[in-house]
Amino acid sequence: MSTASKPSSISRPSADDDPLRLIDVDHVRFYVGNAKQSAYFYAHCFGFQIQQCSDLTTGSRQEANYLLTQGNIRLVLTTGLSRDHPAQREVMLHGDGIKDLAFTVADAEAAYEQALKNGAESAYEPVTYSCEAGAITKGGVKTYGRVIHSFVSRRGEFDLANLRKGGRMSPIFKNRLQFALNDYNRQHPCGLEYVDHCVGNVELGKMDHWVKWYEEVLGFKLFKHFDDKDISTEYSALMSKVMDSGFGIIKLPINEPAEGRRKSQIQEYLDWHDDMPGIQHLAFRTDDELASVAELRRRGVDFLAIPETYYEEVWDRVAKMGWGIREDHERIRQLGILVDADDDGYLLQLFTKPLQDRPTLFFEIICRRGSESFGRGNFKALFTALEAEQAQRGNL
Ligand code: FE2
């Protein structure tokens, strides 16, 4: 990007005509080894509806895609059907994981062109899928490591309002017929509402590069900065900066490893991800952390085990910030939920163990009561728990 074009391309006010104004997280695309089976895992453990699919039976010859929905969360699970499909190669190198954090915009082609003008590298050129009912257009840019951001614009039957109500994802998706599991999940909700934040792990020394990329290319703003004094234990450390998309759409923390006596959890991720940066965790927002975690635990979700000693000090710590936690303290302890507070309020959060055999991607379940931060007060307890897990895997 030339210096001359920089001020105009990044001085991005809240103007409605900004092509890079993000309207929503359109969907999160995973590349997985077997989308059909993964769909059942995420539906069974996390309560998603297996809503639509495209595969050989619907005329999709190259790949199978499953759309899973819950609240305003849309996950697309993609498997390549031949060895030449890029999803197959990525799964071989990195294991199952997130490929695309896609955003809804007013005009995908304009958003793509603007991102390129701002310095982005193309992942794929804009393409339109249409039928008599409507159309979607999408184009993608590369961000850190294997990850891309697609810009998606929607028309007719496929517009965002319809999609949020369970409408078709795109002309290539067909609605699924009834699943017994979908009925069960409607009767036993997990309460996950939307993607609160999405965390990336990048290589040592690259965090600031990607912070600048999100500022210059997508017009994000720096929200918080944690350094390795905040996020360290005796053995391992990391550094993190949080990028904010504005308009409450999403926050994207970016981590890099920091020097510690032993291997950082970020380095462990990179080691098992073929040294490739990628998405470390996706945080789902709930308005009732206790009900969500209780239901997820009942379904067999494997959460990180928090040491019992955590609850000896946590209530004093949050009370000092001036907030009374209205949820039942004993129930929080029984469910192993983490609590933190800042100047604006408090939050409840809990992290799953890795979702696949490689210690890479995991989920977070978060409930905010005023707090817009990320659980800084929990980092030490959390990292101690993570290190115990790393040691068990022989990776510390
Ligand atoms: Fe998080």
Side-chain angles (χ1 to χ4, degrees):
M1 183 173 56
S2 74
T3 318
S5 68
K6 190 170 153 186
S8 61
S9 58
I10 64 166
S11 61
R12 188 166 301 115
S14 53
D16 286 343
D17 58 359
D18 180 349
L20 284 168
R21 175 167 180 173
L22 309 181
I23 298 169
D24 204 346
V25 176
D26 195 89
H27 62 273
V28 184
R29 184 182 298 273
F30 291 53
Y31 276 175
V32 297
N34 187 334
K36 186 171 192 167
Q37 291 189 2
S38 293
Y40 280 89
F41 170 79
Y42 289 109
H44 172 80
C45 291
F46 294 93
F48 285 91
Q49 296 287 308
I50 306 176
Q51 208 193 54
Q52 299 165 40
C53 92
S54 70
D55 63 4
L56 288 174
T57 68
T58 69
S60 174
R61 307 293 301 172
Q62 306 301 321
E63 59 186 40
N65 295 291
Y66 283 75
L67 172 68
L68 274 63
T69 62
Q70 183 169 180
N72 193 36
I73 306 164
R74 288 167 292 277
L75 309 181
V76 177
L77 308 177
T78 298
T79 290
L81 295 178
S82 70
R83 66 180 179 186
D84 301 324
H85 192 286
Q88 289 310 95
R89 178 163 168 76
E90 288 205 14
V91 167
M92 185 185 78
L93 294 172
H94 315 300
D96 288 9
I98 295 176
K99 176 64 185 175
D100 186 359
L101 178 63
F103 300 119
T104 321
V105 294
D107 179 340
E109 214 164 323
Y112 170 88
E113 293 300 337
Q114 185 64 46
L116 257 50
K117 263 187 227 161
N118 292 354
E121 188 184 338
S122 175
Y124 65 96
E125 291 187 355
V127 55
T128 297
Y129 302 90
S130 59
C131 64
E132 60 290 342
I136 74 156
T137 299
K138 55 182 203 164
V141 297
K142 292 179 182 172
T143 175
Y144 49 78
R146 72 184 293 195
V147 185
I148 68 170
H149 292 307
S150 287
F151 304 111
V152 185
S153 52
R154 305 176 158 280
R155 290 201 313 272
E157 182 189 325
F158 309 109
D159 76 8
L160 188 60
N162 275 340
L163 184 66
R164 284 173 174 167
K165 286 186 283 191
R168 274 168 73 197
M169 180 74 173
S170 83
I172 66 165
F173 277 84
K174 313 287 181 202
N175 277 322
R176 295 292 292 187
L177 297 174
Q178 288 295 309
F179 276 114
L181 187 52
N182 285 352
D183 294 336
Y184 181 86
N185 285 344
R186 269 189 287 272
Q187 289 155 16
H188 303 85
C190 293
L192 308 183
E193 294 179 343
Y194 56 91
V195 179
D196 182 274
H197 61 276
C198 177
V199 180
N201 284 344
V202 303
E203 312 98 312
L204 184 63
K206 283 294 174 69
M207 177 179 68
D208 285 327
H209 167 83
W210 289 108
V211 163
K212 198 160 164 263
W213 188 93
Y214 277 98
E215 285 172 342
E216 294 187 352
V217 173
L218 294 186
F220 282 42
K221 299 276 186 289
L222 186 63
F223 180 68
K224 293 269 179 190
H225 175 208
F226 307 106
D227 63 20
D228 52 355
K229 288 182 205 64
D230 294 321
I231 316 180
S232 67
T233 63
E234 185 184 356
Y235 291 124
S236 66
L238 64 80
M239 292 195 288
S240 185
K241 288 184 179 176
V242 178
M243 304 309 294
D244 185 350
S245 68
F247 305 106
I249 303 300
I250 198 167
K251 291 189 176 65
L252 302 180
I254 302 170
N255 298 330
E256 70 173 31
E259 292 295 325
R261 277 175 51 189
R262 304 289 283 273
K263 184 178 286 186
S264 159
Q265 53 164 302
I266 310 305
Q267 193 55 51
E268 187 199 31
Y269 174 100
L270 294 169
D271 288 351
W272 289 93
H273 203 246
D274 196 49
D275 292 324
M276 178 65 88
I279 289 173
Q280 178 209 43
H281 75 268
L282 204 56
F284 297 129
R285 183 83 158 259
T286 172
D287 193 45
D288 188 341
E289 183 80 9
L290 279 63
S292 288
V293 171
E295 178 60 19
L296 296 170
R297 281 197 183 281
R298 196 180 66 77
R299 288 162 175 264
V301 172
D302 223 0
F303 286 105
L304 211 56
I306 305 306
E308 187 63 25
T309 50
Y310 173 84
Y311 296 97
E312 290 167 11
E313 56 82 35
V314 68
W315 307 118
D316 281 348
R317 174 158 61 78
V318 294
K320 274 184 198 143
M321 297 300 295
W323 303 104
I325 309 300
R326 69 175 194 235
E327 287 80 0
D328 186 280
H329 290 198
E330 180 54 19
R331 190 76 180 125
I332 288 174
R333 189 189 65 76
Q334 285 168 0
L335 289 167
I337 290 166
L338 296 158
V339 189
D340 196 30
D342 58 25
D343 292 341
D344 304 313
Y346 69 94
L347 62 80
L348 305 161
Q349 62 184 170
L350 191 54
F351 302 85
T352 72
K353 290 185 184 179
L355 298 163
Q356 55 291 306
D357 294 304
R358 299 192 196 200
T360 51
L361 177 71
F362 59 89
F363 287 161
E364 172 181 352
I365 311 299
I366 187 166
C367 174
R368 299 184 181 280
R369 303 281 187 229
S371 167
E372 286 300 316
S373 56
F374 294 84
R376 170 178 167 163
N378 289 325
F379 288 161
K380 196 166 193 314
L382 194 59
F383 283 23
T384 305
L386 275 167
E387 283 167 12
E389 300 277 330
Q390 270 180 262
Q392 203 174 40
R393 294 191 285 261
N395 289 340
L396 190 59

